[in-house]
Amino acid sequence: MKILDKIKIIKNYWPVSKFYFSSLLKKNQPLFGLFFQVTNKCNAKCLMCFNWKKINKTNNELSLNEIRKFTKTMGPIPNLTIGGGEPFLRDDLSEICRIFHKNNGVRKISIPTNCLSTNKIIDSTKKILESCQITLKIVLSLDGTREIHDYIRGVKGTFDKLLETYKELDQLRKEYSHLQLNINTTISNKNEDNIPKIIDFVDKNFNIQFHTLELIRGYYNQKNVQAPSLNKYQKLIKYILKSKNIDNNIYHKVIYSYYHKITTDILKEKKQLIPCRVSSFMPVIDAMGNVYHCELLPAIGNLKKSNCDFSKIWQSDKAKKQRKDIYNKKCYCTHYCYQIQNILMSPIHFLKAIMRKSFLE
């Protein structure tokens, strides 16, 4: 890689690194982002769902007033990722986005979807784009070619609904320049042999910003699905990095390829190999108000039981103890959303990423 490319990469990813280092100088460290699971309601039956024990248990979900109340105790949040369940099944989704934009100054919102509710997705997307001056990224889930995708998602016709939803969103993108489209593929033993075909299909049929391929994670039902073997995963990486949506962007390819390298090393050694700093800056809140440092760790509090005061939970002794445990490497994972940011917040690993001679090194 040329020196000029390395300089451009540093410039491209500097905002994340700058946020981390500048935050260390502040007494009350700000948040870089938030993962908010707005509902447990879902119309799919995905084999690899990490949230499968809570799916469609919606009796005690946070109300709009409770969301409005807790957001006022959080301070600025530049990045918001909304999850579920299926986020677009929440009828007040656009209002939730508007609340975060107003109360927390959110500038970027990312929403994954199984694409089954095309009309709801288009309607909510329009409302969000018209009410918030933000960058909105809709992430379409694609886990295989037609039969495999429908099997993994547990609903016949899901593949065709994805194509329909993409077509509608692609049209909408012509009207709203601040709408971005991505595709996410979760790698498991159910689609590991289909990955090259998925990559080829996406490259030929979709105009997107990025195609993320990440390992299955969390507490999925192991009776139904498993992670691919380490040997299989290592063989797949070379196909993943040849994707047009990755290969054409040197900025993404450098960090993304390093993510797959560090993931491989973590799976081999079964321990934390990169400092998990982002867990202190990007909390998770589930639909019932439980607050987490990470979806893989126990909750540190509940908003409903704390008068919707997020800061009280985040600065609690329980939270501080868990952050100390994370710092002392008492946990490890390959969580894509966190590990990408961890690379950017670690000078050593960031330099390793841009200094490698080969993307497969």
Side-chain angles (χ1 to χ4, degrees), residues 273-288:
L273 299 179
I274 181 170
C276 187
R277 291 173 174 146
V278 74
S279 56
S280 296
F281 300 96
M282 292 182 71
V284 177
I285 298 176
D286 71 16
M288 295 172 287

Side-chain angles (χ1 to χ4, degrees), residues 105-325:
V106 166
R107 299 192 299 271
K108 295 180 181 180
I109 298 178
S110 177
I111 310 176
T113 177
N114 60 31
C115 299
L116 282 169
S117 303
T118 303
N119 292 337
K120 276 183 171 288
I121 294 167
I122 300 303
D123 182 60
S124 291
T125 299
K126 281 183 180 179
K127 289 179 180 178
I128 295 168
L129 290 167
E130 289 173 357
S131 63
C132 305
Q133 293 301 312
I134 57 163
T135 297
L136 177 62
K137 179 170 66 177
I138 306 297
V139 184
L140 315 180
S141 297
L142 175 62
D143 295 304
T145 47
R146 181 175 275 103
E147 290 184 3
I148 294 175
H149 180 74
D150 285 3
Y151 167 69
I152 291 174
R153 292 278 154 176
V155 178
K156 189 175 181 179
T158 306
F159 183 85
D160 291 330
K161 291 298 291 183
L162 181 144
L163 298 180
E164 178 187 347
T165 301
Y166 168 75
K167 183 178 179 181
E168 293 290 332
L169 286 170
D170 190 36
Q171 287 297 314
L172 199 61
R173 189 165 44 174
K174 296 176 182 178
E175 185 177 350
Y176 299 96
S177 60
H178 47 304
L179 173 62
Q180 297 180 356
L181 302 180
N182 280 20
I183 286 178
N184 183 76
T185 299
T186 300
I187 306 171
S188 71
N189 66 333
K190 299 299 182 182
N191 66 355
E192 58 187 12
D193 294 326
N194 197 226
I195 294 299
K197 289 184 179 180
I198 297 172
I199 293 171
D200 186 58
F201 181 78
V202 171
D203 284 350
K204 291 179 179 178
N205 294 279
F206 294 88
N207 177 21
I208 57 174
Q209 267 71 37
F210 199 63
H211 179 194
T212 303
L213 294 102
E214 59 175 309
L215 280 180
I216 186 173
R217 70 171 189 266
Y219 302 106
Y220 51 86
N221 190 341
Q222 295 187 16
K223 293 180 181 179
N224 297 329
V225 65
Q226 297 286 335
S229 68
L230 179 58
N231 183 55
K232 174 67 75 170
Y233 174 56
Q234 288 178 298
K235 289 180 179 179
L236 287 175
I237 292 174
K238 65 180 180 180
Y239 291 103
I240 293 171
L241 297 181
K242 288 180 180 178
S243 166
K244 179 184 71 175
N245 293 287
I246 298 169
D247 195 45
N248 289 346
N249 191 322
I250 187 67
Y251 312 123
H252 288 333
K253 189 168 184 178
V254 167
I255 304 302
Y256 189 59
S257 62
Y258 190 74
Y259 156 76
H260 284 290
K261 178 199 181 302
I262 204 73
T263 294
T264 302
D265 292 343
I266 290 170
L267 292 174
K268 286 179 181 177
E269 300 191 35
K270 300 186 185 303
K271 63 181 181 180
Q272 189 183 128
L273 299 179
I274 181 170
C276 187
R277 291 173 174 146
V278 74
S279 56
S280 296
F281 300 96
M282 292 182 71
V284 177
I285 298 176
D286 71 16
M288 295 172 287
N290 295 306
V291 180
Y292 310 79
H293 282 107
C294 169
E295 66 191 29
L296 304 176
L297 294 174
I300 55 175
N302 181 275
L303 289 166
K304 289 177 177 286
K305 296 178 181 179
S306 303
N307 196 29
C308 290
D309 188 342
F310 171 83
S311 61
K312 184 178 180 181
I313 296 172
W314 199 241
Q315 299 303 327
S316 67
D317 290 340
K318 189 173 183 178
K320 291 175 182 177
K321 182 183 182 303
Q322 195 173 89
R323 282 197 282 273
K324 186 176 180 180
D325 288 342

